[in-house]
Amino acid sequence: MKELAAPPDANRVADAVEVLRAWIINQGLQVSLAPGSFGGGENEIIVWSILLTDITRHIADALHKSEGLDPKETINKIQAHFNLELDEPTAEAKGDFIV
């Protein structure tokens, strides 16, 4: 198992909460997530959307630092493929919700 390290502040801040984990297992995506982390309802949807855009920016920054890729171009490509994947998924989301 190749687990990433938690961000340094996660160990220093008492109210830090993990909300998302993603794994590639048997060439497929498996996730653990914590719905309801942001108060539920419309606010929940808005904050998860912000979280996904922040993740996109972090990916663009990491690819810029590690491979020299242009961050704006990377974000544009991710956004285009994100929309394509939403419209025509390469795989359906499946699994159980465990509380």
Side-chain angles (χ1 to χ4, degrees):
M1 178 170 79
K2 295 181 181 179
E3 187 174 340
L4 297 174
D9 287 342
N11 295 319
R12 290 192 287 261
V13 178
D15 64 348
V17 177
E18 185 173 33
V19 296
L20 176 69
R21 252 183 205 222
W23 295 81
I24 302 301
I25 302 171
N26 295 327
Q27 299 175 334
L29 177 65
Q30 293 188 24
V31 299
S32 297
L33 53 92
S37 296
F38 307 113
E42 188 66 26
N43 189 61
E44 185 81 12
I45 295 167
I46 291 167
V47 178
W48 277 102
S49 300
I50 293 168
L51 183 138
L52 292 172
T53 57
D54 285 352
I55 290 170
T56 299
R57 289 185 187 97
H58 281 285
I59 293 167
D61 183 58
L63 290 174
H64 174 68
K65 290 175 180 172
S66 65
E67 299 184 29
L69 298 178
D70 178 75
K72 180 123 179 102
E73 188 175 318
T74 298
I75 289 170
N76 289 338
K77 287 180 179 180
I78 290 172
Q79 184 176 18
H81 288 283
F82 182 90
N83 290 333
L84 283 172
E85 185 66 23
L86 284 174
D87 291 340
E88 297 181 34
T90 54
E92 291 298 321
K94 59 183 177 182
D96 294 321
F97 179 71
I98 302 167
V99 181

